[in-house]
Amino acid sequence: MVGIVLKVIFILAGLLLLMTAASPAAVFPFWETDAVGSRVSFTTVPQRVVCLAPYITEMLPAFGRESILVGLTRQDLILNSGLRAVNVGDYFSPDVEAIADCTPDLIIVAPSHETVIRAFRDRSDCRLMVMEAHSLETAFSHMETMGRIFDCEEEATAVIRDNRNQLALAARKLSAVPAGRRPRVCRVMAGKTLSCPGDDSFQNEVIAAAGGLVPAWGKTGFAVPVEPAAWHEFNPQVVYGCTDNETAVRTLLDGPEWKEVDAVRDGRILMFPCDLTCRVSVRAGAFVQWLAALLHPDIYSTPEKAVLENTVLSRKPAAVSFDYVDRAEVVAHRVADATYKSVVVRFKEPVTVHSTLEGGRTGIRAVGNSYVPMHASLGHMTRGIDTVRKSIASNLGYTGAEYAGLMTGADMANLSIQTRTFKELTVTALVTAGVRGNALRMSRDTGAYYEKPGTINIILLTNRRLSPAAMAWAVVTVTEAKSAVLSDLDIRSTYSPRAHGATGTGTDTVLVVQGEGAETAYTGGHTKIGELIAKVVHAGVTEAIARQNGIRTDRDLLQRLAERKLGPDKVAARYTTYMNEKVLASRLAELLQEPYYTAFMESALALSDAYGKGLVKNLDFFDDSCRSVSVRLSGDSNALPVCSDNEETLPVVLQKAFDAIVGGIVKGDAVP
């Protein structure tokens, strides 16, 4: 076990934190060898791709090639809200006809997709590639392959370089930690029994790279059953799993066979997003840093233990233009080994600002909004954010007294800058926004935290000198416009998604710059400047959410249901029928893609919210609609919805809607 750790450290420590040269552009024609040894020829860049391999699906948008994806599994569509492609069925049982209907020129599959491989292996009208990655190095190699195939070598190289640099940095930070101080860590999965990754899994590489000791079960594979005796012998000190499997994992670990280990006794059960735990992600390096910060908080939370100097790494101009603004730019800079990205607006003379994070401040020479990587927020920020604020200001060339800043978990690459003018009036908003993880509905959800850094962050500038009252009122106008976006997009509360839409994230912040020009005392909605403020904020928040989370009004119904934690698998699990759960989930997913049933469920979502608010008081008409849907599916005029087991109460309208659809499917054994 120690040998594995030392080997990983040796390999990663040998990686240089240097810019690697971009790969030369591919010269067509050329050949690539896939995971089963087949040679696939490419004479041109593929334009219509059906991808059933999730880790490849993630790569293509990261390389700027999402437009070529024409067919995806429903799991990938749900996970990647920003992608627009045809649903070609369940990952475990893809629909061959739906794939063919996409008229792809390339199909990318995993080895387990035997039915698809048989159907398309010998087709002359499209190519088939079988792809699988069990290790980080294999995944990086496949990134290079995708770069060649899709003529995006430079983008692929940049992603690989970032991952290697982060792995090398983690290795350097952890190099002095002896084996005796490295916690025993394993990834866990729960089904009928407890499973862990096999000894050949990339997940053990991730754990070792993050400074953990990995188990050796003597088995290989993505998930292997673990015997209680082996579990207790390894005695993990930290376990982690996938958020989608969280309830099952925690329930299983509470059982007598599994709970008598250090990790469970100490409550060190961590959960991470599926795209980080279940496949080699394009963010593998960031995940290693995140996990390392949790396993070794002292190293990651102590600025004095940083191995690299704080410095500016790059600058890029940002489109902000006012007479009192010197310049605006997006700056990448390093703080205690973490790479921050800050949008900064620098002023010719000191200004006054009104910030919901810091209150009213004077003598400000620059304002900004900084993206904080997850491992940094869990690491050195645990010592308090004041030190970090000062470091950010210093990197940007200011003292803490001269700089007013916001902080966010939204990537600055997804920044939206919006400007609107009317005659001599000009208003600009700089917006970052993320609504995954802590969106809530004010007045309905419970507050439990005391820290302040924000998630939807807005910096507002105008060509008017705003009075103190106007700056305060602008916060109201900004907030109303922001909440309107969340309503327009049907963003759900993280804490009560089935019942409530969100009004904000609970950590949103606004910074208003007083500005220069004619004095303005009122910025409410009835004023022209208030109108412009609302428009730039609405446009900025809408665009920022689309960039950060992929959420737009045209997203798929299955994506909207997943946001309510009502994906087809979860819905199917609520019902006890003769039909296999996976089959029922697949049929439900297919059915909800048909326009008639899509409209029925979309109507149910809207009606459910209205009924929950008391705006609709009688559901007799909806009961008639439900009966009609059930009869339409089953062909039985006496068909009644099947009853769910009510494992968790749903809003009454949604319960009726799913009872009708599932009842019709089961009673009629309907195939859409």
Side-chain angles (χ1 to χ4, degrees), residues 344-374:
V344 187
V345 182
R346 306 177 188 273
F347 305 114
K348 295 176 181 177
E349 300 292 338
V351 302
T352 296
V353 303
H354 181 91
S355 168
T356 59
L357 182 64
E358 299 176 312
R361 294 186 60 191
T362 60
I364 300 301
R365 303 192 65 88
V367 297
N369 180 19
S370 296
Y371 159 69
V372 182
M374 180 60 75

Side-chain angles (χ1 to χ4, degrees), residues 56-138:
I56 301 294
T57 298
E58 186 187 40
M59 287 180 195
L60 297 179
F63 302 162
R65 294 296 184 268
E66 61 270 22
S67 62
I68 56 89
L69 291 167
V70 296
L72 296 170
T73 66
R74 63 179 170 85
Q75 287 90 343
D76 268 353
L77 283 171
I78 289 172
L79 190 62
N80 301 280
S81 298
L83 298 180
R84 300 293 180 267
V86 173
N87 179 349
V88 295
D90 184 84
Y91 171 82
F92 299 99
S93 54
D95 186 331
V96 171
E97 290 186 8
I99 293 172
D101 289 344
C102 291
T103 61
D105 54 6
L106 175 64
I107 303 171
I108 302 175
V109 300
S112 60
H113 295 128
E114 296 176 357
T115 302
V116 178
I117 293 172
R118 286 196 299 270
F120 292 95
R121 172 60 79 189
D122 298 322
R123 293 270 294 258
S124 59
D125 56 340
C126 73
R127 288 151 292 189
L128 181 81
M129 285 192 78
V130 183
M131 302 294 288
E132 187 175 39
H134 293 297
S135 69
L136 296 178
E137 279 304 320
T138 301

Side-chain angles (χ1 to χ4, degrees), residues 336-655:
D337 290 342
T339 299
Y340 286 56
K341 297 176 186 176
S342 303
V343 59
V344 187
V345 182
R346 306 177 188 273
F347 305 114
K348 295 176 181 177
E349 300 292 338
V351 302
T352 296
V353 303
H354 181 91
S355 168
T356 59
L357 182 64
E358 299 176 312
R361 294 186 60 191
T362 60
I364 300 301
R365 303 192 65 88
V367 297
N369 180 19
S370 296
Y371 159 69
V372 182
M374 180 60 75
H375 69 277
S377 66
L378 295 174
H380 53 258
M381 285 187 68
T382 61
R383 296 289 181 95
I385 62 176
D386 288 341
T387 298
V388 181
R389 286 178 183 169
K390 291 177 182 178
S391 295
I392 291 173
S394 177
N395 271 2
L396 299 175
Y398 302 97
T399 66
E402 297 172 320
Y403 176 78
L406 311 177
M407 287 183 279
T408 180
D411 196 322
M412 210 52 60
N414 300 321
L415 169 72
S416 176
I417 302 178
Q418 299 288 330
T419 297
R420 296 289 186 276
T421 61
F422 177 79
K423 295 184 178 180
E424 75 285 358
L425 282 175
T426 301
V427 176
T428 294
L430 297 87
V431 183
T432 57
V435 294
R436 303 285 197 202
N438 69 336
L440 56 77
R441 187 173 189 85
M442 295 298 286
S443 82
R444 295 291 185 179
D445 295 323
T446 300
Y449 301 99
Y450 298 90
E451 294 298 327
K452 297 187 289 186
T455 302
I456 299 179
N457 285 353
I458 299 166
I459 296 176
L460 185 72
L461 303 101
T462 74
N463 65 342
R464 288 292 183 267
R465 181 177 180 83
L466 304 181
S467 70
M471 286 193 287
W473 205 292
V475 174
V476 176
T477 304
V478 166
T479 302
E480 290 180 5
K482 174 204 69 178
S483 294
V485 174
L486 302 189
S487 176
D488 293 345
L489 292 175
D490 188 30
I491 303 299
R492 308 305 295 179
S493 163
T494 300
Y495 309 100
S496 52
R498 294 168 183 175
H500 300 130
T503 55
T505 73
T507 54
D508 302 338
T509 51
V510 180
L511 191 155
V512 181
V513 177
Q514 185 177 48
E516 293 180 352
E519 186 170 12
T520 296
Y522 182 52
T523 53
H526 289 295
T527 65
K528 185 55 69 173
I529 192 170
E531 175 194 331
L532 296 183
I533 289 171
K535 285 183 175 179
V536 293
V537 169
H538 193 283
V541 174
T542 299
E543 183 178 60
I545 289 175
R547 289 181 174 181
Q548 180 72 24
N549 301 129
I551 297 176
R552 301 193 297 267
T553 54
D554 67 343
R555 65 193 184 280
D556 189 87
L557 172 61
L558 293 180
Q559 293 169 335
R560 292 183 64 196
L561 289 173
E563 291 161 11
R564 289 167 165 79
K565 302 189 186 303
L566 286 172
D569 296 301
K570 291 186 181 295
V571 172
R574 297 177 60 84
Y575 293 87
T576 302
T577 74
Y578 76 88
M579 191 175 288
N580 178 275
E581 271 187 24
K582 288 189 178 298
V583 173
L584 177 57
S586 181
R587 292 189 178 180
L588 181 62
E590 293 169 6
L591 188 74
L592 291 176
Q593 298 297 296
E594 291 193 6
Y596 180 89
Y597 300 106
T598 297
F600 169 71
M601 185 53 67
E602 288 171 340
S603 300
L605 296 181
L607 178 62
S608 180
D609 283 352
Y611 185 75
K613 296 170 186 173
L615 298 175
V616 174
K617 298 175 178 60
N618 187 290
L619 294 178
D620 289 349
F621 81 99
F622 186 66
D623 289 337
D624 289 343
S625 297
C626 290
R627 280 190 291 271
S628 176
V629 164
S630 190
V631 170
R632 183 186 179 103
L633 285 167
S634 66
D636 181 357
S637 60
N638 296 313
L640 295 174
V642 299
C643 295
S644 79
D645 58 13
N646 288 313
E647 63 176 32
E648 183 180 353
T649 302
L650 288 183
V652 61
V653 173
L654 298 185
Q655 186 69 63

Side-chain angles (χ1 to χ4, degrees), residues 251-273:
T251 300
L252 193 64
L253 290 179
D254 194 43
E257 289 183 308
W258 314 105
K259 67 180 182 180
E260 295 303 325
V261 294
D262 289 349
V264 181
R265 282 192 292 261
D266 297 340
R268 300 203 69 188
I269 303 172
L270 311 175
M271 292 293 157
F272 298 101

